[in-house]
Amino acid sequence: MEEDNNKNMILAMVLSALVVLVWFFLFPPEPPAEPETTAVTQTSDGVATTPAADGAIPAIAATPAQSRDTALAKSERIEIKTPRLSGSLSLTGGRIDDLQLTDYNVRLNDPSEKITLLSPAGGPNAYYTMYGWAPASGLTYDNVPTASTVWQIEDGTTLTETTPVTLKWDNGTGLTFRRTISVDAEYKFDITQSVENTTDGEVRLAPYGIIARKGEPETIGFYILHEGVVRNSDGEIQEIDYDDMPDQDLDPRENANIDAIGVESEGWIGFTSKYWMTALAPQSGQAFNSVSKYSASNDTYQTDMRLPTMAVAAGATQSITTSLFTGAKEYDVIKSYEDGGIAKFVDSIDWGWFFFLTKPIFKVMHFLNNLIGNMGWAIIGLTLIIKAILFPLAYKSYVSMARMKELQPEMEALKEKHGDDRQALQQGMMKLYKDKKVNPAAGCLPILLQIPIFFSLYKVIFVTIEMYHAPFFGWIHDLSAPDPTSFLNLFGLLPWSTPDATSFFAIFSIGVFPILMGVTMWLQQKLNPAPTDKTQAQIFAWMPWVFMFMLGQFAAGLVIYWVANNTITFIQQYTIMRSQGVKPDIWGNMFGFLRKKKDTA
């Protein structure tokens, strides 16, 4: 029975390894490509359509394709300059459509090009925000500002964290519209829209905000990461992929595919990618319609914040303030906005199905990083904490393994006694386990618990921007990218390059930490003699090196965790086995094959 159990366990391990290998060939880890920024290809772009209160959509002329610089030069602009943002807003349409994140470089240690988040209509990969009023009850689009309206500057010349700007437009028939835009020192804009009614009658109109992007953006395409629409609707987080938006229900009034949700009091909506997000958020308690929209006619993806229709009495002024987040999904920043009233905003980070593990894992790691000042050491500190939490289980496991080792002579005696009588052998072993109070399955529990922790940590390292370009020490300058060294050029000593990350042969380009992971896993095995069965022994012998190549192109932060975990596990197991009177013959298990060859000779 013992032999059958071992064979079943080995078979399960081999099949699992094969499944993982095939999985990673089909869905490989993200290569160390640069994050999304403005592309060099050019596409035609139409300005996003505005949502009329009655559902009617005006015809919007397409904008000819042009370079980004040409598109920016098409309108007068107001500069945006804060400690973390640079760019401009267009007086045509009053759109925020030019934004760079000054703290984030496209390439590691190269400040010459910053991450570009928003780009103007008509240029490559247009991605912009637009605000306005949808007419109702007798008003038409001629009476309200549209995407092509040229606003005047009423106050302010540069938008900074201390100097807001106010735009003004008079429709010439008694309505004056104003838009005051302010920004904080991080990534949040506040937009106050107002309308002054100097006519002799009441007018009705509905404010809105739009985030629009031309064409489906280039995405990483890795299934554990969501890229597309993300929104909170009264506490329910929903994610919609870009390729699912054209499958939304067709609304003939707008000639677009729409998924609309009525939000009663707490919500926001926007587009998210791995590290960056742009989202619209009304004030807490404000009802609105949250709309995911795809317009095939101009290939535009939109998220709309459609607010209720407002009645503005004759001689009165009505205003409404909403917020716009556009920047990096830094935990501390978005948590501060959540505390300030944007409900469940930290859930814009893609925590995944195992959020009950990924969230606390990140919080502990983030705390340690703030304490230590180095994310690599924070990962090692997290490993120590996880091992400490699991130590009671590990202790029982290693004690059981030590006792199993003590039973080896008696188990061998049972095998000799019963020979091929498997039923008698099974009964004898079960009695032996019961008499000695040994659970042969106890050693599996810590391993089973490590699996969800491992994948949760992988998720955290993959999706959180705190890993982006975060250094450890020495040659590790970016924990979100694979170990840059390779044994193929003796870790940089030989004057030739290694295979490109997109090449199949990159899997053989193994760095220092993946090798350390394989070595530490191999050392763990050597705490016990190799199985007597030759097939089992060969499989066990190859496992560390198979996993070394499997994880070699994973983020360095994850491999550092695995090295630390293996090292701590080795120390724990060795110490506990010694405390139980078992003296592991590590050197003998490592080099016993040499003795066998010598004896054979």
Side-chain angles (χ1 to χ4, degrees):
M1 183 64 182
E2 173 73 12
E3 184 178 353
D4 287 343
N5 286 340
N6 284 339
K7 286 182 178 179
N8 290 336
M9 182 183 70
I10 295 297
L11 180 61
M13 291 175 64
V14 173
L15 290 175
S16 298
L18 287 174
V19 169
V20 173
L21 275 172
V22 172
W23 185 77
F24 283 116
F25 274 119
L26 294 176
F27 305 101
E30 179 199 8
E34 305 304 340
E36 67 271 23
T37 184
T38 302
V40 295
T41 57
Q42 294 195 13
T43 58
S44 62
D45 181 54
V47 177
T49 54
T50 54
D54 61 2
I57 296 297
I60 301 294
T63 305
Q66 53 203 320
S67 70
R68 188 174 192 276
D69 288 342
T70 301
L72 289 171
K74 286 286 185 179
S75 66
E76 292 185 51
R77 297 189 160 270
I78 294 177
E79 183 183 11
I80 301 171
K81 190 174 182 60
T82 77
R84 311 198 70 184
L85 299 172
S86 67
S88 61
L89 63 89
S90 170
L91 292 184
T92 300
R95 299 191 293 270
I96 301 174
D97 61 357
D98 170 30
L99 209 62
Q100 292 81 40
L101 310 184
T102 55
D103 287 341
Y104 292 97
N105 302 327
V106 172
R107 291 171 294 275
L108 181 66
N109 296 328
D110 180 3
S112 64
E113 185 179 1
K114 301 297 182 179
I115 293 295
T116 296
L117 192 54
L118 301 183
S119 289
N125 291 354
Y127 185 18
Y128 54 91
T129 68
M130 187 171 68
Y131 290 82
W133 298 84
S137 301
L139 293 179
T140 68
Y141 273 95
D142 292 332
N143 304 123
V144 297
T146 64
S148 58
T149 297
V150 178
W151 292 74
Q152 303 299 314
I153 300 174
E154 184 174 64
D155 184 41
T157 55
T158 302
L159 178 57
T160 74
E161 71 275 20
T162 58
T163 57
V165 298
T166 299
L167 309 180
K168 178 182 176 180
W169 182 71
D170 190 327
N171 74 350
T173 59
L175 297 181
T176 301
F177 295 86
R178 289 181 174 84
R179 186 175 302 164
T180 299
I181 304 172
S182 61
V183 62
D184 65 12
E186 302 290 350
Y187 302 121
K188 185 168 76 73
F189 294 80
D190 286 325
I191 294 91
T192 299
Q193 300 184 83
S194 69
V195 55
E196 180 184 359
N197 180 12
T198 60
T199 70
D200 56 3
E202 179 186 84
V203 296
R204 293 173 58 82
L205 62 177
Y208 65 82
I210 288 174
I211 303 171
R213 56 191 318 166
K214 168 67 178 179
E216 183 173 346
E218 205 172 302
T219 60
I220 294 170
F222 198 27
Y223 87 95
I224 71 165
L225 173 71
H226 168 67
E227 297 171 280
V229 175
V230 61
R231 61 181 170 186
N232 171 35
S233 305
D234 292 319
E236 181 180 350
I237 300 297
Q238 183 187 19
E239 297 173 340
I240 305 173
D241 294 338
Y242 286 109
D243 55 5
D244 290 332
M245 293 177 70
D247 297 328
Q248 296 169 163
D249 293 339
L250 179 66
D251 187 331
R253 298 174 304 168
E254 301 189 32
N255 190 29
N257 303 91
I258 288 177
D259 183 1
I261 294 179
V263 179
E264 294 182 3
S265 61
E266 302 291 345
W268 44 266
I269 184 170
F271 289 114
T272 184
S273 61
K274 182 175 181 178
Y275 295 137
W276 329 113
M277 180 173 65
T278 303
L280 303 161
Q283 291 185 328
S284 179
Q286 173 67 62
F288 73 104
N289 278 340
S290 171
V291 179
S292 166
K293 178 177 178 180
Y294 172 70
S295 300
S297 59
N298 55 14
D299 191 25
T300 298
Y301 296 78
Q302 284 181 218
T303 56
D304 296 358
M305 171 187 63
R306 304 182 182 183
L307 297 147
T309 300
M310 300 172 61
V312 186
T317 299
Q318 290 274 21
S319 66
I320 190 166
T321 299
T322 59
S323 295
L324 167 70
F325 173 93
T326 179
K329 294 191 291 184
E330 299 168 3
Y331 180 83
D332 286 341
V333 173
I334 59 178
K335 183 64 169 67
S336 70
Y337 294 146
E338 179 176 287
D339 295 340
I342 305 180
K344 296 180 74 70
F345 208 42
V346 294
D347 289 330
S348 60
I349 298 174
D350 186 11
W351 301 111
W353 289 353
F354 292 98
F355 62 90
F356 52 88
L357 286 177
T358 52
K359 276 188 175 181
I361 283 174
F362 172 78
K363 287 180 181 179
V364 172
M365 193 162 59
H366 188 54
F367 169 78
L368 292 174
N369 180 47
N370 289 338
L371 185 67
I372 301 170
N374 184 289
M375 188 59 84
W377 289 112
I379 292 172
I380 294 175
L382 174 70
T383 312
L384 288 167
I385 292 173
I386 291 173
K387 297 301 288 185
I389 293 172
L390 296 179
F391 181 75
L393 290 174
Y395 182 81
K396 290 182 180 180
S397 169
Y398 299 145
V399 167
S400 177
M401 293 170 66
R403 289 180 178 174
M404 287 287 291
K405 187 174 177 63
E406 291 176 348
L407 296 181
Q408 284 295 325
E410 296 178 63
M411 292 171 65
E412 292 296 328
L414 284 173
K415 289 178 181 179
E416 292 180 7
K417 177 181 178 181
H418 296 291
D420 293 333
D421 190 345
R422 292 182 176 273
Q423 184 176 357
L425 177 60
Q426 178 183 2
Q427 291 174 349
M429 285 186 172
M430 294 302 292
K431 185 177 184 302
L432 181 62
Y433 293 150
K434 184 177 180 180
D435 293 343
K436 300 295 183 178
K437 297 181 180 179
V438 172
N439 181 3
C444 299
L445 188 57
I447 296 173
L448 292 175
L449 290 174
Q450 280 290 330
I451 293 173
I453 292 173
F454 173 77
F455 282 108
S456 296
L457 185 65
Y458 174 45
K459 176 80 171 181
V460 166
I461 291 175
F462 188 80
V463 304
T464 54
I465 196 170
E466 283 75 10
M467 292 290 170
Y468 179 65
H469 290 179
F472 182 29
F473 71 84
W475 64 95
I476 303 294
H477 302 292
D478 185 358
L479 288 167
S480 68
D483 186 324
T485 58
S486 173
F487 79 96
L488 295 179
N489 62 2
L490 289 183
F491 313 108
L493 295 177
L494 299 178
W496 59 67
S497 60
T498 55
D500 183 80
T502 58
S503 168
F504 168 80
F505 295 100
I507 193 174
F508 302 107
S509 185
I510 303 300
V512 173
F513 273 101
I515 291 174
L516 287 175
M517 185 195 68
V519 170
T520 53
M521 190 175 178
W522 177 70
L523 285 173
Q524 275 185 261
Q525 287 186 353
K526 299 310 172 183
L527 286 171
N528 297 289
T532 54
D533 182 271
K534 290 184 178 180
T535 302
Q536 294 180 21
Q538 288 178 353
I539 291 173
F540 270 110
W542 279 104
M543 289 300 285
W545 318 119
V546 170
F547 276 94
M548 179 182 74
F549 283 102
M550 283 170 54
L551 301 182
Q553 295 304 312
F554 276 53
L558 190 71
V559 181
I560 289 169
Y561 162 79
W562 209 245
V563 171
N565 181 76
N566 288 348
T567 303
I568 297 168
T569 300
F570 177 87
I571 294 170
Q572 283 183 341
Q573 187 174 351
Y574 179 83
T575 304
I576 293 171
M577 291 178 76
R578 291 286 301 223
S579 72
Q580 297 298 309
V582 177
K583 298 180 179 180
D585 184 14
I586 298 175
W587 292 106
N589 295 337
M590 290 170 59
F591 303 109
F593 69 96
L594 295 176
R595 289 199 302 267
K596 291 179 182 178
K597 288 183 178 179
K598 184 177 180 181
D599 294 342
T600 303

